[in-house]
Coordinates of all heavy atoms in Angstrom, one line a residue:
L267 N 0.8 -1.2 0.0 CA 0.0 0.0 0.0 C 0.9 1.3 0.0 O 0.5 2.2 0.6 CB -0.9 0.0 1.2 CG -2.0 -1.1 1.2 CD1 -2.8 -1.0 2.5 CD2 -2.9 -1.1 0.0
E268 N 2.0 1.2 -0.7 CA 2.8 2.4 -0.7 C 2.6 3.3 -1.9 O 3.4 4.1 -2.2 CB 4.3 1.9 -0.6 CG 4.5 1.3 0.8 CD 6.0 1.1 1.1 OE1 6.8 1.8 0.5 OE2 6.2 0.3 2.0
D269 N 1.5 3.1 -2.6 CA 1.2 4.0 -3.6 C -0.1 4.7 -3.3 O -0.9 4.2 -2.6 CB 1.2 3.4 -5.0 CG 0.1 2.4 -5.3 OD1 -1.1 2.8 -5.1 OD2 0.4 1.3 -5.7
R270 N -0.3 5.8 -3.9 CA -1.5 6.7 -3.5 C -2.8 6.0 -3.8 O -3.7 6.0 -3.0 CB -1.4 8.0 -4.3 CG -2.5 9.0 -3.9 CD -1.7 10.0 -3.1 NE -2.6 11.1 -2.7 CZ -2.8 11.5 -1.5 NH1 -2.2 10.8 -0.5 NH2 -3.5 12.5 -1.2
Q271 N -2.9 5.3 -4.9 CA -4.2 4.7 -5.3 C -4.6 3.6 -4.3 O -5.7 3.5 -3.9 CB -4.2 4.2 -6.7 CG -5.5 3.6 -7.2 CD -5.4 3.1 -8.6 OE1 -4.4 3.1 -9.2 NE2 -6.6 2.7 -9.1
A272 N -3.6 2.7 -4.0 CA -3.8 1.6 -3.1 C -4.2 2.2 -1.7 O -5.1 1.7 -1.1 CB -2.6 0.8 -2.9
F273 N -3.5 3.3 -1.3 CA -3.9 3.9 0.0 C -5.3 4.4 0.0 O -6.1 4.2 1.0 CB -2.9 5.0 0.3 CG -3.3 5.8 1.5 CD1 -3.1 5.3 2.8 CD2 -3.9 7.1 1.4 CE1 -3.5 6.1 3.9 CE2 -4.2 7.8 2.5 CZ -4.0 7.3 3.7
E274 N -5.7 5.1 -1.0 CA -7.0 5.7 -1.1 C -8.1 4.6 -1.1 O -9.2 4.8 -0.6 CB -7.2 6.6 -2.3 CG -6.4 7.9 -2.1 CD -6.3 8.7 -3.4 OE1 -6.8 8.3 -4.5 OE2 -5.8 9.8 -3.3
Q275 N -7.8 3.4 -1.7 CA -8.8 2.4 -1.7 C -8.9 1.6 -0.4 O -10.0 1.0 -0.1 CB -8.4 1.3 -2.8 CG -8.6 1.9 -4.2 CD -8.0 1.0 -5.3 OE1 -7.4 0.0 -5.0 NE2 -8.3 1.3 -6.5
R276 N -7.9 1.7 0.5 CA -7.9 1.0 1.7 C -7.5 1.8 2.9 O -6.8 1.3 3.8 CB -7.0 -0.3 1.6 CG -7.4 -1.1 0.4 CD -7.1 -2.5 0.4 NE -7.4 -3.2 1.6 CZ -6.8 -4.3 1.9 NH1 -5.9 -4.8 1.2 NH2 -7.1 -4.9 3.1
T277 N -7.9 3.1 2.9 CA -7.5 4.0 3.9 C -7.8 3.5 5.3 O -6.9 3.6 6.2 CB -8.2 5.4 3.7 OG1 -7.9 5.8 2.4 CG2 -7.8 6.4 4.8
T278 N -9.0 3.0 5.6 CA -9.3 2.5 6.9 C -8.4 1.4 7.4 O -7.9 1.4 8.5 CB -10.8 2.1 7.0 OG1 -11.6 3.2 6.6 CG2 -11.2 1.6 8.4
D279 N -8.1 0.5 6.5 CA -7.2 -0.6 6.8 C -5.8 -0.1 7.2 O -5.1 -0.6 8.1 CB -7.1 -1.6 5.7 CG -8.4 -2.4 5.5 OD1 -9.2 -2.5 6.4 OD2 -8.6 -2.9 4.4
V280 N -5.3 0.8 6.4 CA -4.0 1.4 6.6 C -3.9 2.0 8.0 O -2.9 1.8 8.7 CB -3.6 2.4 5.5 CG1 -2.4 3.2 5.8 CG2 -3.5 1.7 4.2
Y281 N -4.9 2.9 8.3 CA -4.8 3.5 9.6 C -5.0 2.5 10.8 O -4.3 2.6 11.8 CB -5.9 4.6 9.7 CG -5.5 5.8 9.0 CD1 -6.2 6.3 7.9 CD2 -4.4 6.6 9.4 CE1 -5.9 7.4 7.2 CE2 -4.0 7.7 8.6 CZ -4.8 8.1 7.6 OH -4.4 9.3 6.9
R282 N -5.8 1.5 10.6 CA -5.9 0.5 11.7 C -4.7 -0.3 11.9 O -4.2 -0.5 13.0 CB -7.1 -0.4 11.4 CG -8.4 0.2 11.6 CD -9.5 -0.8 11.3 NE -10.8 -0.2 11.5 CZ -12.0 -0.6 10.9 NH1 -12.0 -1.6 10.1 NH2 -13.1 0.0 11.2
T283 N -4.1 -0.7 10.8 CA -2.8 -1.4 10.8 C -1.7 -0.6 11.4 O -0.9 -1.1 12.2 CB -2.4 -2.0 9.5 OG1 -3.5 -2.8 9.0 CG2 -1.2 -2.8 9.5
G284 N -1.6 0.7 11.0 CA -0.6 1.6 11.6 C -0.8 1.8 13.1 O 0.2 1.9 13.8
T285 N -2.0 1.8 13.5 CA -2.2 2.0 15.0 C -1.7 0.8 15.7 O -1.1 0.9 16.8 CB -3.7 2.2 15.2 OG1 -4.1 3.4 14.6 CG2 -4.0 2.3 16.7
I286 N -2.0 -0.4 15.2 CA -1.5 -1.7 15.8 C 0.0 -1.7 15.8 O 0.6 -2.0 16.8 CB -2.1 -2.9 15.1 CG1 -3.6 -2.9 15.3 CG2 -1.5 -4.2 15.6 CD1 -4.4 -3.9 14.4
A287 N 0.6 -1.3 14.7 CA 2.1 -1.3 14.6 C 2.7 -0.4 15.6 O 3.7 -0.7 16.3 CB 2.5 -1.0 13.2
A288 N 2.1 0.8 15.7 CA 2.7 1.8 16.6 C 2.5 1.4 18.1 O 3.4 1.5 18.9 CB 2.0 3.2 16.4
T289 N 1.4 0.8 18.4 CA 1.1 0.2 19.7 C 2.2 -0.9 20.0 O 2.7 -0.9 21.1 CB -0.3 -0.3 19.8 OG1 -1.2 0.7 19.6 CG2 -0.6 -0.9 21.2
D290 N 2.4 -1.7 19.1 CA 3.4 -2.8 19.3 C 4.8 -2.2 19.6 O 5.5 -2.6 20.5 CB 3.6 -3.7 18.1 CG 2.4 -4.7 18.0 OD1 1.6 -4.7 18.8 OD2 2.5 -5.5 17.0
L291 N 5.2 -1.1 18.9 CA 6.5 -0.5 19.1 C 6.5 0.2 20.5 O 7.6 0.1 21.1 CB 6.8 0.5 18.0 CG 7.1 -0.1 16.6 CD1 7.1 1.0 15.5 CD2 8.4 -0.8 16.6
V292 N 5.5 0.8 20.8 CA 5.5 1.5 22.2 C 5.5 0.4 23.3 O 6.3 0.6 24.2 CB 4.2 2.4 22.3 CG1 4.0 2.8 23.8 CG2 4.3 3.6 21.4
L293 N 4.8 -0.6 23.1 CA 4.8 -1.7 24.1 C 6.1 -2.3 24.3 O 6.6 -2.7 25.4 CB 3.7 -2.7 23.9 CG 2.2 -2.3 24.0 CD1 1.3 -3.4 23.5 CD2 2.0 -1.9 25.5
E294 N 6.8 -2.5 23.2 CA 8.1 -3.2 23.2 C 9.3 -2.2 23.6 O 10.2 -2.7 24.3 CB 8.4 -3.8 21.8 CG 9.7 -4.6 21.8 CD 10.0 -5.3 20.5 OE1 9.0 -5.5 19.8 OE2 11.1 -5.6 20.3
H295 N 9.2 -1.0 23.2 CA 10.3 -0.1 23.4 C 10.0 1.1 24.3 O 10.9 1.8 24.8 CB 10.8 0.5 22.1 CG 11.2 -0.6 21.1 ND1 12.5 -1.1 21.2 CD2 10.6 -1.2 20.1 CE1 12.6 -2.1 20.3 NE2 11.5 -2.1 19.6
G296 N 8.7 1.3 24.6 CA 8.4 2.4 25.5 C 8.1 3.7 24.8 O 8.5 4.0 23.6
Y297 N 7.3 4.6 25.5 CA 6.9 5.9 24.9 C 8.1 6.8 24.7 O 8.2 7.5 23.7 CB 6.0 6.6 25.9 CG 4.6 6.0 25.9 CD1 4.2 5.3 27.0 CD2 3.7 6.2 24.8 CE1 2.9 4.7 27.0 CE2 2.4 5.7 24.8 CZ 2.0 4.9 25.9 OH 0.8 4.4 25.9
R298 N 9.1 6.7 25.5 CA 10.3 7.6 25.4 C 11.0 7.3 24.1 O 11.3 8.3 23.4 CB 11.2 7.3 26.6 CG 12.4 8.3 26.5 CD 13.4 8.0 27.7 NE 14.4 9.0 27.6 CZ 14.9 9.6 28.7 NH1 14.4 9.4 29.9 NH2 15.8 10.5 28.5
V299 N 11.3 6.1 23.8 CA 11.9 5.7 22.5 C 11.1 6.2 21.3 O 11.6 6.7 20.3 CB 12.3 4.2 22.4 CG1 12.8 3.9 21.1 CG2 13.3 3.9 23.5
F300 N 9.8 6.0 21.4 CA 8.9 6.4 20.3 C 9.0 7.9 20.1 O 9.1 8.4 19.0 CB 7.5 6.0 20.6 CG 6.6 5.8 19.4 CD1 6.7 4.7 18.6 CD2 5.7 6.8 19.1 CE1 5.9 4.6 17.5 CE2 4.9 6.7 18.0 CZ 5.0 5.6 17.2
G301 N 9.0 8.6 21.2 CA 9.1 10.1 21.2 C 10.5 10.5 20.6 O 10.6 11.5 19.9
E302 N 11.5 9.8 21.0 CA 12.9 10.1 20.5 C 12.9 9.9 19.0 O 13.7 10.7 18.3 CB 13.9 9.2 21.2 CG 14.1 9.6 22.6 CD 14.9 8.6 23.4 OE1 15.2 7.5 22.9 OE2 15.3 9.0 24.6
L303 N 12.2 9.0 18.4 CA 12.1 8.8 17.0 C 11.7 10.1 16.3 O 12.3 10.6 15.4 CB 11.2 7.7 16.6 CG 10.8 7.6 15.1 CD1 12.0 7.0 14.4 CD2 9.6 6.7 15.0
Y304 N 10.6 10.7 16.9 CA 10.1 12.0 16.3 C 11.1 13.1 16.5 O 11.2 14.0 15.7 CB 8.7 12.3 16.9 CG 7.7 11.4 16.2 CD1 7.3 10.2 16.9 CD2 7.2 11.7 15.0 CE1 6.4 9.4 16.2 CE2 6.3 10.8 14.3 CZ 5.9 9.7 15.0 OH 5.0 8.9 14.4
G305 N 11.9 13.1 17.6 CA 12.9 14.1 17.8 C 14.0 13.9 16.7 O 14.5 14.9 16.2
D306 N 14.4 12.7 16.4 CA 15.3 12.5 15.4 C 14.8 13.0 14.0 O 15.6 13.7 13.3 CB 15.6 11.0 15.2 CG 16.3 10.4 16.4 OD1 16.9 11.1 17.2 OD2 16.3 9.1 16.5
L307 N 13.6 12.8 13.7 CA 13.0 13.3 12.5 C 13.0 14.8 12.5 O 13.3 15.4 11.4 CB 11.6 12.8 12.3 CG 11.4 11.2 12.2 CD1 10.0 10.8 12.2 CD2 12.2 10.7 11.0
A308 N 12.7 15.4 13.6 CA 12.7 16.9 13.7 C 14.1 17.5 13.5 O 14.3 18.6 13.0 CB 12.2 17.4 15.0
N309 N 15.1 16.6 13.8 CA 16.5 17.1 13.6 C 17.1 16.7 12.2 O 18.3 16.8 12.0 CB 17.4 16.4 14.7 CG 17.1 17.1 16.0 OD1 16.9 18.3 16.1 ND2 17.1 16.3 17.1
G310 N 16.2 16.2 11.4 CA 16.6 16.0 10.0 C 17.1 14.6 9.7 O 17.6 14.3 8.6
I311 N 17.1 13.7 10.7 CA 17.5 12.3 10.4 C 16.5 11.6 9.6 O 15.3 11.7 9.9 CB 17.8 11.6 11.7 CG1 18.9 12.3 12.5 CG2 18.1 10.1 11.5 CD1 19.1 11.8 13.9
P312 N 16.9 11.0 8.5 CA 15.9 10.3 7.6 C 15.1 9.2 8.4 O 15.7 8.6 9.3 CB 16.8 9.6 6.6 CG 18.0 10.4 6.5 CD 18.2 10.9 8.0
W313 N 13.9 9.0 8.0 CA 13.0 8.0 8.7 C 13.7 6.7 8.9 O 13.7 6.1 10.0 CB 11.7 7.9 7.9 CG 10.8 6.8 8.4 CD1 10.7 5.5 8.0 CD2 9.9 6.9 9.5 NE1 9.8 4.8 8.7 CE2 9.3 5.6 9.7 CE3 9.6 7.9 10.4 CZ2 8.4 5.4 10.7 CZ3 8.7 7.7 11.4 CH2 8.1 6.4 11.5
A314 N 14.2 6.1 7.8 CA 14.7 4.7 7.9 C 15.9 4.7 8.8 O 16.0 3.7 9.6 CB 15.2 4.3 6.5
T315 N 16.7 5.7 8.9 CA 17.9 5.7 9.8 C 17.4 5.8 11.2 O 17.9 5.1 12.1 CB 18.8 6.9 9.4 OG1 19.2 6.7 8.0 CG2 20.0 6.9 10.3
A316 N 16.5 6.7 11.5 CA 16.0 6.9 12.8 C 15.2 5.7 13.3 O 15.4 5.3 14.5 CB 15.0 8.2 12.8
F317 N 14.4 5.1 12.4 CA 13.7 3.9 12.8 C 14.6 2.8 13.3 O 14.5 2.2 14.3 CB 12.8 3.4 11.6 CG 11.9 2.3 12.0 CD1 10.6 2.5 12.3 CD2 12.3 1.0 12.0 CE1 9.7 1.5 12.6 CE2 11.5 -0.1 12.3 CZ 10.2 0.2 12.6
E318 N 15.6 2.5 12.5 CA 16.6 1.5 12.8 C 17.4 1.8 14.1 O 17.6 0.9 14.9 CB 17.5 1.2 11.7 CG 18.4 0.0 11.9 CD 19.1 -0.5 10.7 OE1 18.9 0.1 9.6 OE2 19.9 -1.5 10.8
A319 N 17.8 3.0 14.3 CA 18.5 3.4 15.4 C 17.7 3.3 16.7 O 18.2 2.8 17.7 CB 19.0 4.9 15.3
R320 N 16.4 3.6 16.6 CA 15.6 3.6 17.8 C 15.0 2.2 18.2 O 14.8 1.9 19.3 CB 14.5 4.6 17.7 CG 14.9 6.1 17.7 CD 15.7 6.4 18.9 NE 16.3 7.7 18.8 CZ 17.1 8.2 19.7 NH1 17.3 7.6 20.9 NH2 17.6 9.4 19.6
F321 N 14.7 1.5 17.1 CA 14.0 0.2 17.3 C 14.9 -1.0 17.1 O 14.4 -2.2 17.3 CB 12.7 0.1 16.5 CG 11.7 1.2 16.8 CD1 11.3 2.1 15.8 CD2 11.3 1.4 18.1 CE1 10.4 3.1 16.1 CE2 10.4 2.5 18.4 CZ 10.0 3.3 17.4
G322 N 16.1 -0.8 16.7 CA 17.0 -1.9 16.6 C 16.8 -2.9 15.4 O 17.4 -4.0 15.4
Q323 N 16.0 -2.4 14.5 CA 15.8 -3.2 13.3 C 15.4 -2.3 12.1 O 14.8 -1.3 12.4 CB 14.8 -4.3 13.5 CG 13.4 -3.8 13.9 CD 12.4 -4.9 14.2 OE1 12.5 -6.0 13.7 NE2 11.5 -4.6 15.1
D324 N 15.6 -2.7 10.9 CA 15.2 -1.9 9.8 C 13.7 -2.1 9.6 O 13.1 -3.0 10.1 CB 16.0 -2.2 8.5 CG 15.9 -3.6 8.0 OD1 14.9 -4.2 8.2 OD2 16.8 -4.0 7.4
Q325 N 13.1 -1.2 8.8 CA 11.7 -1.3 8.6 C 11.2 -2.6 7.9 O 10.2 -3.2 8.3 CB 11.2 -0.1 7.6 CG 11.3 1.2 8.3 CD 11.1 2.3 7.2 OE1 12.0 2.9 6.7 NE2 9.8 2.5 6.9
Q326 N 12.0 -3.1 7.0 CA 11.6 -4.3 6.3 C 11.6 -5.5 7.3 O 10.6 -6.3 7.2 CB 12.7 -4.7 5.2 CG 12.2 -5.8 4.3 CD 11.0 -5.5 3.5 OE1 10.7 -4.4 3.2 NE2 10.2 -6.5 3.2
S327 N 12.5 -5.6 8.2 CA 12.5 -6.6 9.2 C 11.2 -6.5 10.1 O 10.6 -7.5 10.4 CB 13.7 -6.6 10.1 OG 14.9 -6.9 9.3
F328 N 10.9 -5.2 10.5 CA 9.8 -5.0 11.3 C 8.5 -5.4 10.6 O 7.6 -6.1 11.1 CB 9.7 -3.5 11.7 CG 8.4 -3.2 12.4 CD1 8.2 -3.6 13.8 CD2 7.3 -2.6 11.8 CE1 7.0 -3.3 14.4 CE2 6.1 -2.3 12.4 CZ 6.0 -2.7 13.7
Y329 N 8.4 -5.0 9.3 CA 7.2 -5.4 8.5 C 7.1 -6.9 8.4 O 6.0 -7.5 8.5 CB 7.3 -4.8 7.1 CG 7.1 -3.3 7.0 CD1 7.8 -2.6 6.0 CD2 6.4 -2.6 8.0 CE1 7.7 -1.2 5.9 CE2 6.3 -1.2 7.9 CZ 6.9 -0.5 6.9 OH 6.8 0.8 6.8
Q330 N 8.2 -7.6 8.2 CA 8.1 -9.1 8.1 C 7.7 -9.7 9.4 O 6.8 -10.6 9.4 CB 9.5 -9.6 7.7 CG 9.8 -9.3 6.2 CD 11.3 -9.7 5.9 OE1 12.1 -10.0 6.8 NE2 11.6 -9.7 4.6
Q331 N 8.2 -9.3 10.5 CA 7.8 -9.8 11.8 C 6.3 -9.5 12.1 O 5.6 -10.3 12.6 CB 8.7 -9.3 12.9 CG 10.1 -9.8 12.8 CD 11.0 -9.2 13.8 OE1 10.7 -8.3 14.6 NE2 12.3 -9.6 13.8
F332 N 5.9 -8.3 11.8 CA 4.6 -7.8 12.0 C 3.6 -8.7 11.2 O 2.6 -9.2 11.7 CB 4.4 -6.3 11.6 CG 3.1 -5.8 11.8 CD1 2.8 -5.2 13.1 CD2 2.1 -5.7 10.9 CE1 1.5 -4.7 13.3 CE2 0.9 -5.1 11.1 CZ 0.6 -4.6 12.3
N333 N 3.9 -8.9 9.9 CA 3.1 -9.8 9.1 C 3.0 -11.2 9.6 O 1.9 -11.8 9.7 CB 3.6 -9.8 7.6 CG 3.2 -8.6 6.9 OD1 2.2 -7.9 7.2 ND2 4.0 -8.2 5.9
M334 N 4.1 -11.8 10.1 CA 4.1 -13.1 10.6 C 3.3 -13.2 11.9 O 2.6 -14.2 12.1 CB 5.6 -13.6 10.9 CG 6.3 -13.9 9.6 SD 8.1 -14.3 9.8 CE 8.2 -15.1 11.4
R335 N 3.3 -12.1 12.7 CA 2.6 -12.1 14.0 C 1.1 -12.1 13.8 O 0.4 -12.7 14.5 CB 3.1 -10.9 14.8 CG 2.4 -10.8 16.1 CD 3.0 -9.7 16.9 NE 2.4 -9.6 18.2 CZ 2.7 -8.8 19.1 NH1 3.6 -7.9 18.9 NH2 2.0 -8.8 20.3
Y336 N 0.7 -11.3 12.8 CA -0.8 -11.0 12.7 C -1.5 -11.8 11.6 O -2.7 -11.7 11.5 CB -1.1 -9.5 12.6 CG -0.8 -8.8 13.9 CD1 0.4 -8.1 14.0 CD2 -1.6 -9.0 14.9 CE1 0.6 -7.4 15.3 CE2 -1.4 -8.3 16.2 CZ -0.2 -7.6 16.3 OH 0.0 -7.0 17.5
R337 N -0.7 -12.5 10.8 CA -1.4 -13.2 9.7 C -1.5 -14.7 10.0 O -1.8 -15.5 9.1 CB -0.6 -13.1 8.4 CG -0.6 -11.7 7.8 CD -0.1 -11.6 6.4 NE -0.2 -10.3 6.0 CZ -1.0 -9.8 5.1 NH1 -2.0 -10.6 4.6 NH2 -1.0 -8.6 4.7
K338 N -1.5 -15.1 11.2 CA -1.6 -16.5 11.6 C -3.1 -16.9 11.5 O -4.0 -16.2 11.6 CB -1.2 -16.6 13.1 CG 0.3 -16.5 13.2 CD 0.7 -16.6 14.6 CE 2.2 -16.4 14.8 NZ 2.7 -16.5 16.1

């Protein structure tokens, strides 16, 4: 769902899934780390770099684990 048309067709699913993913990250790493991610972004650190630095894995690994966890 990384293109505009796919997003527009499944907006509700995208937001629900994003909420679950964010909740998982907060539960695993805490609110502080989640907030630090946004501080990194405000300081100009690219999303992928900040994500990996704060959560200890790249986005692709997170997505794979997330899919395995919830597609059972």
Side-chain angles (χ1 to χ4, degrees):
L267 296 178
E268 295 196 18
D269 68 56
R270 187 106 173 122
Q271 184 178 9
F273 172 75
E274 289 172 352
Q275 291 173 351
R276 305 208 45 206
T277 302
T278 301
D279 292 339
V280 170
Y281 284 115
R282 286 180 179 158
T283 302
T285 299
I286 294 167
T289 300
D290 283 0
L291 289 169
V292 168
L293 290 173
E294 185 173 339
H295 299 279
Y297 287 105
R298 183 181 184 136
V299 173
F300 203 79
E302 289 169 349
L303 170 75
Y304 285 97
D306 291 345
L307 298 174
N309 289 324
I311 297 173
W313 172 264
T315 303
F317 187 95
E318 188 167 356
R320 295 300 172 184
F321 300 123
Q323 62 183 330
D324 62 29
Q325 289 173 261
Q326 189 64 31
S327 296
F328 174 76
Y329 292 150
Q330 288 172 347
Q331 290 175 0
F332 184 85
N333 282 332
M334 288 173 35
R335 181 175 182 179
Y336 290 104
R337 291 195 183 254
K338 292 179 181 178

